[in-house]
Amino acid sequence: MKKVGILGGTFNPPHYGHLLIANEVLSELDLDIIWFMPNHEPPHKKKPDSVKDEERLRMLELAITGNTNFSVQPIELKRTGPSYTVDTMKILNENYPEYQFFFIIGADMIEYLPKWHDIDILVNLVQFVGVERPSYNHQTDYPVLYIDVPSIDVSSSMIRDRVKRGKSVRYLLPDSVIDYIEEKQLYGTPSRIKFS
């Protein structure tokens, strides 16, 4: 049975924190591949309107280039309305019955699990993998495998803010993604600004 890890998110933009988490879980659980799954419309937060889905998808493709154990799974971008994980996992389990799925979540989401849509159905469709982070409560009644991952205190919102202010984002995300942000003038990129 193929073991597939899933890392969902807005990836707006994708950064080294995402890549580190994916690689650590891949290695620790001896998975075959990690699918990066960008949300169309996350139910728990509003997505900034300034960046198109195809631009987020392209940045993700650029971020994982060269790693054959990483792939993009655009299933949620092809659907309209809120992206409920339970609906996605029903489709993936139906389409790939020979796969075992491991859904990667941060410690902040572990606390939030009781509020996930149809969580009692979802836990039978996927194995949750929790990434440990300090200052969050890891206690839950739901089955979660815990993986200790080196901490990188970087977020997509922080990167967007730095880009908007013309501050360097070098070493926070791949150069190919930085080049794309500059080329497309994303996140209010000041003209002719260099991030390296």
Side-chain angles (χ1 to χ4, degrees):
M1 182 169 279
K2 190 169 185 175
K3 295 163 69 177
V4 177
I6 295 176
L7 183 60
T10 52
F11 301 111
N12 194 18
H15 53 70
Y16 281 131
H18 296 130
L19 300 177
L20 176 66
I21 288 169
N23 195 63
E24 291 292 312
V25 172
L26 177 88
S27 174
E28 193 68 26
L29 296 181
D30 196 25
L31 304 182
D32 294 293
I33 195 166
I34 298 284
W35 286 353
F36 289 78
M37 192 165 66
N39 307 119
H40 173 65
E41 186 181 326
H44 61 282
K45 63 180 176 181
K46 181 160 175 49
K47 176 176 57 111
D49 295 325
S50 60
V51 176
K52 301 176 183 138
D53 287 347
E54 54 266 27
E55 291 170 331
R56 292 188 299 122
L57 186 64
R58 182 60 186 146
M59 285 190 286
L60 199 46
E61 290 168 346
L62 290 168
I64 67 171
T65 295
N67 190 329
T68 57
N69 295 118
F70 288 174
S71 179
V72 176
Q73 170 51 265
I75 183 174
E76 292 197 341
L77 293 183
K78 295 176 180 175
R79 303 204 328 260
T80 56
S83 301
Y84 290 113
T85 305
V86 66
D87 298 330
T88 301
M89 293 315 305
K90 283 177 182 175
I91 295 168
L92 291 178
N93 275 279
E94 188 175 305
N95 290 348
Y96 304 96
E98 72 282 13
Y99 289 10
Q100 181 182 8
F101 292 107
F102 297 80
F103 200 91
I104 305 163
I105 56 175
D108 53 334
M109 286 290 106
I110 295 171
E111 290 183 353
Y112 195 74
L113 275 178
K115 298 178 182 176
W116 280 40
H117 184 67
D118 284 341
I119 184 62
D120 294 322
I121 297 173
L122 181 56
V123 292
N124 294 310
L125 299 173
V126 67
Q127 170 64 63
F128 280 108
V129 178
V131 176
E132 306 241 23
R133 282 169 63 188
S135 78
Y136 282 99
N137 179 12
H138 300 143
Q139 300 302 315
T140 180
D141 293 331
Y142 297 100
V144 177
L145 287 174
Y146 291 98
I147 302 295
D148 196 10
V149 172
S151 178
I152 293 186
D153 192 16
V154 57
S155 70
S156 295
S157 59
M158 179 192 76
I159 291 170
R160 291 194 303 269
D161 180 64
R162 289 176 70 98
V163 169
K164 190 173 185 179
R165 293 187 293 121
K167 300 293 185 183
S168 173
V169 292
R170 193 175 188 191
Y171 305 124
L172 298 178
L173 64 169
D175 287 346
S176 57
V177 179
I178 295 174
D179 291 342
Y180 186 83
I181 291 170
E182 287 185 303
E183 176 193 337
K184 295 292 184 178
Q185 297 279 290
L186 303 181
Y187 312 121
T189 312
S191 59
R192 297 184 302 280
I193 193 76
K194 293 296 177 190
F195 300 114
S196 54

